[in-house]
Amino acid sequence: MKKAWALAAGSLFCASGAMAQSNVTIYGVVDTYLGYTNASGRGSVVSLDSGGYQASRLGFKGTEDLGGGLRANFQMENGFASDTGGMHDSTRLFNRQSWVGLANNLGELRLGRQNSPGFLMIARLDAFAGATYASFLNNVSAYTPRYDNVIGYISPVMRGFKLQAYYGLGEQTTPKNGLSTYMLAGEYESGPFYLGLSHSTQNSANDNIAIRSTFAGGAYDYGNGKIFLGYYRGNNLGAAATTNVRGSYYGAYSISANYRLNAQATIGAGYGWAKDSTGAGRDARQISLIGTYDLSKRTMLYTTYAHLTNSNGATFSLAGAAPITKNVPASGGTVNGIQFGIRHLF
């Protein structure tokens, strides 16, 4: 009997020791907003939507210390619509992220569905978190936020520099590199300065025209707020013209800044303009305002205003951090939008 108790205690101790080597965190975002848009030729729409500032999500992440400076990491994340409770992608349980990897002082290797570096970077290139109605970069860029079957490497931070490299397997037999993706990113952050550059290339299904997207820019913290410069260039022309035209690109530029009124409240403004390189002049421009107020470390109120003007047949509209049904203006028209939202982190 004593031997049995000893064996049981030993097993429990070993199990507890194994658990002490690892940890799992459950986290999430619940973001819901009331939006009003008025688009020329389409009229006004009032809607309650999910994900204005950040997309609503439920996630699990964890790490295990394997000894010798080596650790195993994983992250699984599901995106959902907080206004309806539905899943953004009913075909995937973890539609946002699903990867596992190893890390040490030489960097981190990740395998699985991962965010693109451009998606992570855009949030640092304007005063509008790279989302909300107010983010011109988000409204006019056509990029893929995450990819399947990705092998990713993230370097350690060295004197402020961090590098990222990703390769997404196309997993097709004909053409063999169909849908394969290459992504590179470099960032520098030191004191008040941040600089970033990312590029992604995804081969088409028929190995014809590759989809390319580039983000670049930076930010400077002047003490009471930040000044941002953002740039996007891509050949997935989306609302500007026919999608994926060989040799035709769309460029977007953004300048914005915010100011901290106090420890809780921040206001910001920005201007963006875009140029269609096809020669058709399907350009766009936008003025934006934002205000945020922290009720606590986890709960924030936000409001934005945006006025977007299209030219010569462009039909860009206002978007958020999560998929919504856009109020798209008539060809070459304008759209105005106001948001009032609440975001809670857990």
Side-chain angles (χ1 to χ4, degrees):
M1 186 69 176
K2 291 183 178 181
K3 185 175 181 180
W5 273 105
L7 288 173
S11 299
L12 181 61
F13 175 80
C14 291
S16 299
M19 290 179 66
Q21 300 296 318
S22 63
N23 68 81
V24 176
T25 300
I26 301 174
Y27 66 94
V29 177
V30 182
D31 184 327
T32 308
Y33 67 95
L34 182 68
Y36 167 83
T37 56
N38 187 290
S40 57
R42 309 299 183 194
S44 61
V45 174
V46 177
S47 61
L48 190 68
D49 287 309
S50 175
Y53 195 92
Q54 284 184 283
S56 298
R57 72 200 69 171
L58 173 65
F60 305 84
K61 60 182 179 180
T63 183
E64 180 185 11
D65 186 354
L66 302 176
L70 183 66
R71 64 186 184 276
N73 298 330
F74 80 90
Q75 189 166 9
M76 302 183 299
E77 201 173 73
N78 168 264
F80 63 92
S82 58
D83 57 325
T84 66
M87 295 175 62
H88 280 148
D89 186 347
S90 61
T91 66
R92 304 172 189 260
L93 179 59
F94 298 106
N95 60 305
R96 290 182 59 87
Q97 295 189 77
S98 178
W99 57 263
V100 65
L102 295 171
N104 61 15
N105 60 358
L106 298 178
E108 184 173 6
L109 179 69
R110 297 178 177 179
L111 305 174
R113 180 169 172 81
Q114 300 175 55
N115 289 324
S116 69
F119 168 76
L120 298 174
M121 189 171 292
I122 189 175
R124 308 193 68 178
L125 300 183
D126 67 23
F128 317 108
T132 73
Y133 289 174
S135 177
F136 183 68
L137 288 179
N138 185 51
N139 291 335
V140 303
S141 58
Y143 70 98
T144 302
R146 53 194 61 89
Y147 295 90
D148 297 338
N149 310 312
V150 171
I151 302 170
Y153 169 75
I154 302 172
S155 78
V157 177
M158 299 169 288
R159 296 187 176 181
F161 289 95
K162 183 174 72 172
L163 301 176
Q164 301 176 61
Y166 302 83
Y167 175 69
L169 280 67
E171 298 193 356
Q172 289 183 216
T173 56
T174 305
K176 288 187 177 180
N177 65 340
L179 294 176
S180 59
T181 304
Y182 308 85
M183 296 175 284
L184 296 171
E187 295 175 284
Y188 173 77
E189 188 167 15
S190 178
F193 291 98
Y194 169 79
L195 296 172
L197 173 65
S198 69
H199 176 79
S200 66
T201 295
Q202 183 181 39
N203 292 312
S204 62
N206 59 5
D207 202 26
N208 185 15
I209 302 174
I211 301 170
R212 295 182 172 87
S213 296
T214 300
F215 284 97
Y220 174 73
D221 190 330
Y222 62 88
N224 290 320
K226 291 183 179 181
I227 300 171
F228 303 84
L229 293 174
Y231 169 74
Y232 164 79
R233 183 175 188 265
N235 67 342
N236 192 336
L237 302 182
T242 304
T243 305
N244 302 342
V245 179
R246 186 181 297 279
S248 296
Y249 285 83
Y250 198 79
Y253 308 83
S254 171
I255 180 170
S256 60
N258 59 25
Y259 178 78
R260 289 186 286 273
L261 297 173
N262 52 47
Q264 294 173 289
T266 300
I267 57 174
Y271 178 75
W273 67 100
K275 182 70 175 176
D276 168 23
S277 74
T278 66
R282 297 182 178 94
D283 303 334
R285 59 188 184 274
Q286 178 177 320
I287 57 173
S288 304
L289 301 172
I290 188 171
T292 65
Y293 187 84
D294 294 325
L295 296 174
S296 70
K297 291 183 178 180
R298 295 181 177 273
T299 304
M300 180 186 74
L301 303 178
Y302 63 90
T303 182
T304 73
Y305 168 76
H307 173 80
L308 189 154
T309 302
N310 293 289
S311 301
N312 298 321
T315 56
F316 290 110
S317 189
L318 307 179
I324 61 171
T325 301
K326 298 180 183 179
N327 189 6
V328 180
S331 180
T334 63
V335 57
N336 291 278
I338 301 174
Q339 290 172 295
F340 298 95
I342 180 170
R343 183 206 64 179
H344 177 72
L345 310 176
F346 64 88

